[in-house]
Each structure stands twice: as structure tokens, then as C-alpha cells.
Amino acid sequence: MSNDAAITVEGVTYAYDGRPAVEDVSLSVEEGEFLGLIGPNGSGKTTLLKLMLGLMSPDSGRIELFGRPVEEFGEGERIGYVSQHSTSRDRTMPITVREVVTMGRYPHTRFGWLREHDREAIDEALERVDIADIADRRIATLSGGQKQRAFIARALASEADLLALDEPTVGVDADSRDRFYDLLDELNEQGITVILIEHDIGVVTEHADRITCINREIYHHGDTSTFVESDALARAYGSTGRLVEHHH
Ligand code: ADP
């Protein structure tokens, strides 16, 4: 185990009604790295991510978040989690972009009272992801890409050290998607740890330092370059590997 690990996972298993979705998985996510989490549909990626963030408890094994057992980790504001389909869920949400980002700031306030530096942190978060100009629009009226940026800004306002993103660009057009991944690179260069679930393997290998490839069990956990040269993809995806790879 490294001292600088943002997350360590040791021998973790989780089953839904006796059907294992994640089996004996061990891995580490280093502070400041960009980790891509890939695997076929239904291979346990979302389950593993939720386990790593303490949103679900493993049946067996151990998980540490920033050096503490995940079940004792009390600093949720350090984690920015953008779940799957979060862009489609908020269709009727009557709140504005600024209000969403402000919600990210509340853990740093007393009783929700915003002081000057809180307002500055909110403005800065909006600017960093380039949505200051749409701050007063309702979330429900935004494109998928703009919504994703709002959720990232919420995490930045809460001073998150780690961003965990579950297929963040589903339903986002190609241009916005490329710009979104450039933004993730930028945030990562500024020191934020990124964990990305993404089914487009080309995108993952382009942006991630390391790759975790799972299909219930781990098939690869290490450098992107060694992953590309290995047969882990073909083994994890079975005969459908090529189809999935060229899906987009
Ligand atoms: P991925 O994110 O790789 O698509 P998931 O972690 O969502 O995979 O799912 C892994 C396996 O667990 C799949 O077989 C899925 O059908 C099953 N599963 C996921 N969520 C549930 C649930 N709430 N109840 C029962 N089975 C589930």
C-alpha cells in the first residue's frame, strides 16, 4: 500500500443476491493520478466505483479513502461524484446553475451562510469550467455537456480532491465531449485525482495515466501503455472486445 494512495482496495467482493458483481478486487488509486476504469457492460464498474467511495459496503475486503477506512471517512466534500445518467435526471429541476454550485459550497459554511470568500469560491468554480455566463440559467434548460460542467463546478466549489465520473459524456455531442475531457486533463494537472468510467476505450487510453480493466475480476491494473500492449482488453471483453472498442 502506498502512503500517497487516494484509495486502496484490498480483496473486495460484492454480490447482488448471491451473484458476484465484483470479486476479490485489489487496487490503488494514487493521489493526483488519472485512472480509467473500463470493462464490458455489466462488468461491475459502477459497483466497484460506489464501493470505493463508500456508497455501498463490500461483503468482504477492505477499502481506504485518503488513508482511512472508507466507512469512517467523514469528508464527503472532498469527493466529487458524478453518477451515471446524472444529466438526464434533472429535467424538471427548477434550480439554477449557480444554486447547484452553491450547494457544493455548503459543507464549508456555517448553517449555510455564505461569506465573501464562499461567494468567491463559487464564482471561481463557475469560471474554471467556463460556465460563468450561464450561471443564472436553470439546470433543466442546459445541454448535457453544460450540465456535466455544472456538476464539476459543484465539486470544485466544495474543494474536492477527487472526481469520480461514471460515463459522464453519455448523450453529450462529440465536440463538447472532447472539450469536457480537455477540462478533466486540466483539473488533473492542477492536482485533482480523477477516476473515469467510460466505455470508449480510445478516450480512456488517450487521457488516463493508468487503466483498471475489470470483468468482475481485475484483468489489468497499471500503466496505460502496458495495457495497450497487453491482451487484457481481449480477455476481459471476450469475443466482443473489438466490437465494443469500435462502437463509436
Ligand atoms: P457496469 O457498471 O460495468 O455496467 P454494474 O456495476 O452496474 O456494471 O453491474 C454489475 C452487475 O451487477 C451486472 O450484472 C448488473 O446487472 C448487476 N447489478 C447492478 N446493480 C444491481 C442491483 N441493484 N441489483 C441487482 N443486480 C445489480
Side-chain angles (χ1 to χ4, degrees):
M1 269 200 196
S2 161
N3 291 332
D4 297 331
I7 304 179
T8 51
V9 175
E10 280 189 347
V12 161
T13 293
Y14 184 90
Y16 295 100
D17 306 318
R19 294 157 59 104
V22 170
E23 199 159 359
D24 196 21
V25 164
S26 299
L27 58 84
S28 67
V29 184
E30 304 302 318
E31 275 191 49
E33 85 165 316
F34 191 140
L35 181 78
L37 176 51
I38 64 173
N41 272 339
S43 61
K45 302 180 294 295
T46 299
T47 304
L48 177 59
L49 188 62
K50 286 182 175 171
L51 289 164
M52 292 199 282
L53 302 180
L55 301 171
M56 291 163 53
S57 300
D59 297 334
S60 59
R62 242 164 50 91
I63 297 165
E64 283 187 0
L65 198 50
F66 292 110
R68 260 178 291 160
V70 69
E71 60 278 11
E72 293 169 16
F73 187 77
E75 298 172 278
E77 72 277 9
R78 291 182 70 183
I79 315 293
Y81 173 51
V82 180
S83 65
Q84 216 170 5
H85 310 306
S86 49
T87 53
S88 55
R89 204 192 304 137
D90 302 316
R91 255 187 246 289
T92 56
M93 247 209 229
I95 65 173
T96 67
V97 173
R98 182 182 297 281
E99 285 163 344
V100 166
V101 178
T102 300
M103 275 158 33
R105 192 64 201 171
Y106 283 142
H108 295 279
T109 64
R110 279 179 55 122
F111 315 118
W113 293 328
L114 297 174
R115 286 160 296 177
E116 188 55 32
H117 77 272
D118 296 314
R119 291 186 199 286
E120 283 168 12
I122 291 160
D123 285 338
E124 194 192 313
L126 288 163
E127 275 159 29
R128 265 171 94 185
V129 305
D130 206 19
I131 53 169
D133 55 331
I134 55 168
D136 297 320
R137 279 182 49 189
R138 287 179 171 211
I139 279 281
T141 68
L142 305 185
S143 71
Q146 290 169 325
K147 275 184 198 163
Q148 289 298 4
R149 282 170 184 264
F151 296 131
I152 301 289
R154 179 176 62 188
L156 295 177
S158 81
E159 298 176 23
D161 300 306
L162 186 148
L163 285 177
L165 308 153
D166 194 343
E167 300 207 342
T169 60
V170 168
V172 173
D173 66 83
D175 258 14
S176 313
R177 193 179 75 156
D178 290 347
R179 280 188 285 117
F180 181 77
Y181 283 118
D182 289 342
L183 168 66
L184 280 191
D185 279 342
E186 242 171 70
L187 296 173
N188 179 240
E189 276 159 28
Q190 291 163 11
I192 294 179
T193 308
V194 176
I195 306 175
L196 170 69
I197 296 179
E198 161 67 63
H199 67 267
D200 187 327
I201 292 157
V203 167
V204 181
T205 53
E206 188 184 333
H207 293 273
D209 305 317
R210 294 202 299 159
I211 304 266
T212 300
C213 178
I214 63 165
N215 193 351
R216 206 178 66 214
E217 298 168 303
I218 294 249
Y219 282 74
H220 178 90
H221 177 60
D223 289 346
T224 301
S225 53
T226 52
F227 170 73
V228 172
E229 290 157 12
S230 76
D231 62 352
L233 180 73
R235 287 190 296 112
Y237 283 73
S239 56
T240 61
R242 288 183 183 283
L243 287 175
V244 174
E245 192 176 5
H246 296 293
H247 194 61
H248 282 263

